[in-house]
Amino acid sequence: MAPIQKLGNIDQKKRASQKIAFGFFSFLSYLVVAILFVILGFIILKGASVISWEFLTEAPKNGMTSGGIFPAIVGTIYLVIGSSLISFPIGIMSGIYMNEYATNGKIIRFIRVMTNNLSGVPSVVFGLFGMSLFVSTLGWGDSIIAGSFTLALMSLPLIIRTTEEALKSIDDSFRHGSLALGATKLQTIRRVVLPMAFPNIITGLILSIGRVSGETAPILFTVAAYFLPQLPQSIFDQCMALPYHLYVISTSGTDIEASRGMAYGTALVLIVIVLLVNLLANALRNYFAKKVKMN
């Protein structure tokens, strides 16, 4: 009976330790969610009173202490769309090459190391690089195209790695089966592998959009204007952007107290835009995931 009793005590201790560990991890998870809701609640309480139709559709006035933020909203959308058009194709095709075509292990390891290092570079360094290459060397000046290319370079590592991991998650039996039926490698990737991996690829695209839409340093050096009430007419024009606009009216405004409410309203609009983009991307992800299951 003694050995059985000892085993029972050990089992009880293991269960108790397991409950404590699970409880601690659950507490941390709920704590993160609570912090998120506190931040969102603070921004909503401070910024909701500022939100109005005029605030969303008018240009800023009186040194950005009054008026609206419409040019900044449009500029942010332009930059997100421009950087996405550049980074999405390059990042996805790079991930496809690294997982499906490249055979030299040393080269792949080198590319992965460089990609990881690139993802760790501070955003202000990307801004300085974009200013040197796109603004000065290529002669684009402070413009939407210069800012879009800079933001695209910053988001490329994330898209490449998530695309590669999404492709790795597809079992090789699907590739072998397609090749056995006579399909070429390109047809296998385009019609079998990519549709199955696309829901996970969208995750990387969502994260890249979220990062791009909230960056201030890269656009500070390449595109953002301090005060530009009119909308840009071409990709070679400057534009306002919500992150930089928020920074300016919070720290460098002519009347900080008067612009404080406008700053909270701008932050709330930026959060809502990112949330809407994420919801749209998640809806696309669920759509393609269901489509893959049906096929």
Side-chain angles (χ1 to χ4, degrees):
M1 293 295 293
I4 296 176
Q5 187 175 3
K6 288 182 179 180
L7 289 175
N9 293 335
I10 293 174
D11 186 55
Q12 289 179 356
K13 289 181 180 180
K14 287 183 178 180
R15 290 182 179 178
S17 301
Q18 188 178 26
K19 288 182 179 180
I20 293 173
F22 284 163
F24 180 69
F25 293 145
S26 299
F27 169 75
L28 292 179
S29 301
Y30 288 123
L31 179 63
V32 171
V33 175
I35 293 174
L36 174 62
F37 276 106
V38 168
I39 295 174
L40 290 177
F42 175 79
I43 297 297
I44 291 172
L45 288 176
K46 294 287 186 177
S49 60
V50 184
I51 302 298
S52 65
W53 181 249
E54 290 74 19
F55 181 76
L56 298 176
T57 58
E58 290 184 356
K61 304 173 184 176
N62 301 325
M64 295 193 295
T65 58
S66 62
I69 58 171
F70 183 68
I73 295 175
V74 174
T76 300
I77 294 174
Y78 282 169
L79 290 173
V80 170
I81 293 175
S83 61
S84 300
L85 291 175
I86 298 166
S87 62
F88 286 5
I90 297 175
I92 293 174
M93 287 189 289
S94 299
I96 292 173
Y97 168 77
M98 291 177 62
N99 191 74
E100 302 295 330
Y101 286 100
T103 56
N104 192 321
K106 292 183 180 179
I107 294 178
I108 292 300
R109 285 195 295 271
F110 176 77
I111 294 175
R112 287 199 184 106
V113 170
M114 292 298 101
T115 303
N116 291 334
N117 290 337
L118 191 62
S119 64
V121 174
S123 59
V124 66
V125 177
F126 281 101
L128 289 172
F129 175 78
M131 181 180 65
S132 175
L133 177 61
F134 303 122
V135 176
S136 301
T137 303
L138 297 181
W140 291 346
D142 292 334
S143 59
I144 294 175
I145 188 172
S148 296
F149 268 91
T150 304
L151 293 172
L153 288 177
M154 189 182 64
S155 61
L156 265 180
L158 179 60
I159 298 174
I160 293 173
R161 291 311 306 271
T162 52
T163 299
E164 186 183 4
E165 293 301 323
L167 295 173
K168 281 183 179 179
S169 65
I170 306 303
D171 194 271
D172 286 338
S173 60
F174 294 101
R175 296 177 177 87
H176 297 158
S178 177
L179 295 172
L181 291 173
T184 64
K185 191 173 184 66
L186 180 60
Q187 289 174 332
T188 299
I189 294 172
R190 185 166 60 90
R191 298 182 179 180
V192 178
V193 179
L194 271 182
M196 298 181 68
F198 197 67
N200 292 327
I201 293 176
I202 291 181
T203 301
L205 305 185
I206 295 171
L207 295 175
S208 68
I209 290 175
R211 184 180 182 187
V212 163
S213 60
E215 285 293 341
T216 304
I219 62 176
L220 170 65
F221 294 103
T222 57
V223 58
Y226 176 82
F227 181 73
L228 192 66
Q230 70 271 16
L231 297 179
Q233 301 299 314
S234 74
I235 59 175
F236 293 100
D237 290 340
Q238 280 186 286
C239 69
M240 298 182 68
L242 288 173
Y244 183 60
H245 182 72
L246 175 60
Y247 166 75
V248 169
I249 61 179
S250 298
T251 61
S252 306
T254 55
D255 188 348
I256 295 180
E257 290 300 325
S259 61
R260 190 77 68 182
M262 196 172 183
Y264 288 123
T266 303
L268 180 57
V269 171
L270 181 59
I271 290 174
V272 171
I273 290 176
V274 174
L275 178 61
L276 291 176
V277 171
N278 288 344
L279 290 176
L280 177 61
N282 281 319
L284 289 175
R285 176 181 177 177
N286 294 333
Y287 169 77
F288 284 109
K290 291 179 180 178
K291 197 171 181 180
V292 169
K293 290 180 180 180
M294 290 175 63
N295 294 334

